[in-house]
Amino acid sequence: MTQDDDTPQTHASGAPWRNFYGRFKGKTLKDSQKRYLDEDLAALSPGPVGWEENPERLPLDLEARFGKRPVWLEIGFGGGEHLVHQAQSNPDVAIIGAEPFINGVAMLLGKIRRAGVENLAVHPGDARDLFDVLPEASIERAFLLYPDPWPKKRHHRRRFVTPEHLAPLAQVMKPGAILRVATDIPDYVRQTLEEVPRHGFEWLAEGPRDWRESWGDWISTRYEQKALREGRVPHYLTFRRL
């Protein structure tokens, strides 16, 4: 359900009304995936994110949750391949993944079990709710990988790279923090390069190789493999928080 007029809207919990245009659930979950959600998801919470459990929007105590580890964030982790890869490759880092699509969350939980990683937290919902309660300047690296392209022009305002998302993201990132964006949609590249620098980031590219070649610790996701099969060219954009 969405609200498209300018009338202020709130939920019964007191939460502001935020339009959400993606999917929360797809095909029927496997029994094993249902079990992962029942048995594993609560323990992987980064803390009280929801409005019902944190109506005052108190900042999360990341040190109590993760110790003194640097904290990274992946926004929309899809099936979780990249998230688990980074957790395995960086055991001294804590990584929070935000994803509202419950099928993707269930896929991630299966991967976490198989990999045995313990430095991950999962928010199964809108990243904007997480931005509300992340402490200011607490995130040292963020990933936005193959976000929903919303290709029709009238839908471009639904993209992540808009002020509604970028302003709070910038607020929770540390000065000098790195933001990585991967997309195979040329117009998404255009909008990203226009909007992200307006919110306190600098693009770090010095030449074409810097956006044509993937990062050294990159693992190709199923979304990227689909793009390559269909003849689309990935772009890898790196920004630094000023």
Side-chain angles (χ1 to χ4, degrees):
M1 181 175 179
T2 63
Q3 297 283 335
D4 287 320
D5 58 31
D6 294 326
T7 304
Q9 300 283 339
T10 59
H11 293 278
S13 64
W17 193 278
R18 287 169 170 160
N19 290 337
F20 183 82
Y21 298 98
R23 294 186 300 164
F24 285 108
K25 190 173 182 180
K27 61 184 179 180
T28 302
L29 297 172
K30 300 176 182 178
D31 289 342
S32 60
Q33 293 177 323
K34 294 177 182 177
R35 187 171 68 254
Y36 301 155
L37 291 169
D38 290 340
E39 297 178 359
D40 299 352
L41 184 56
L44 290 168
S45 171
V49 176
W51 282 81
E52 293 80 4
E53 57 186 346
N54 187 357
E56 297 180 0
R57 315 312 286 149
L58 300 175
L60 299 178
D61 189 342
L62 297 182
E63 186 169 336
R65 178 65 175 82
F66 301 119
K68 295 187 179 297
R69 294 174 176 176
V71 181
W72 295 0
L73 171 66
E74 184 166 343
I75 304 156
F77 54 72
E81 308 100 303
H82 177 266
L83 191 59
V84 170
H85 168 71
Q86 290 291 352
Q88 288 179 308
S89 302
N90 300 278
D92 296 328
V93 170
I95 311 179
I96 303 173
E99 173 61 64
F101 186 51
I102 200 65
N103 297 65
V105 174
M107 291 175 64
L108 169 69
L109 297 182
K111 292 180 175 70
I112 291 174
R113 280 199 178 196
R114 290 189 290 274
V117 291
E118 298 180 348
N119 54 331
L120 282 176
V122 182
H123 168 56
D126 194 325
R128 291 171 294 183
D129 293 335
L130 184 61
F131 295 156
D132 288 344
V133 295
L134 281 173
E136 186 173 345
S138 60
I139 300 299
E140 295 196 10
R141 181 167 295 189
F143 307 91
L144 179 67
L145 308 175
Y146 293 95
D148 197 321
W150 294 110
K152 295 180 180 179
K153 187 173 182 179
R154 69 177 184 272
H155 293 158
H156 287 184
R157 63 187 176 88
R158 301 181 181 182
R159 291 173 171 174
F160 185 89
V161 289
T162 56
E164 180 182 5
H165 302 90
L166 292 174
L169 173 62
Q171 186 172 351
V172 302
M173 293 187 71
K174 288 186 176 182
I178 296 298
L179 169 64
R180 291 180 176 179
V181 181
T183 180
D184 57 299
I185 307 300
D187 190 68
Y188 207 103
V189 173
R190 173 200 60 77
Q191 189 171 347
T192 300
L193 293 177
E194 289 179 357
E195 293 293 338
V196 172
R198 292 175 181 168
H199 291 83
F201 294 85
E202 61 176 337
W203 187 30
L204 298 183
E206 296 179 353
R209 292 180 60 182
D210 293 325
W211 68 82
R212 292 176 179 170
E213 296 183 4
S214 60
W215 301 284
D217 58 353
W218 177 244
I219 179 174
S220 186
T221 67
R222 59 193 178 121
Y223 295 104
E224 179 169 278
Q225 291 302 311
K226 179 181 178 182
L228 293 171
R229 288 194 304 270
E230 296 177 359
R232 295 190 298 276
V233 178
H235 293 73
Y236 308 94
L237 310 175
T238 307
F239 300 89
R240 180 167 54 213
R241 180 73 170 98
L242 297 173

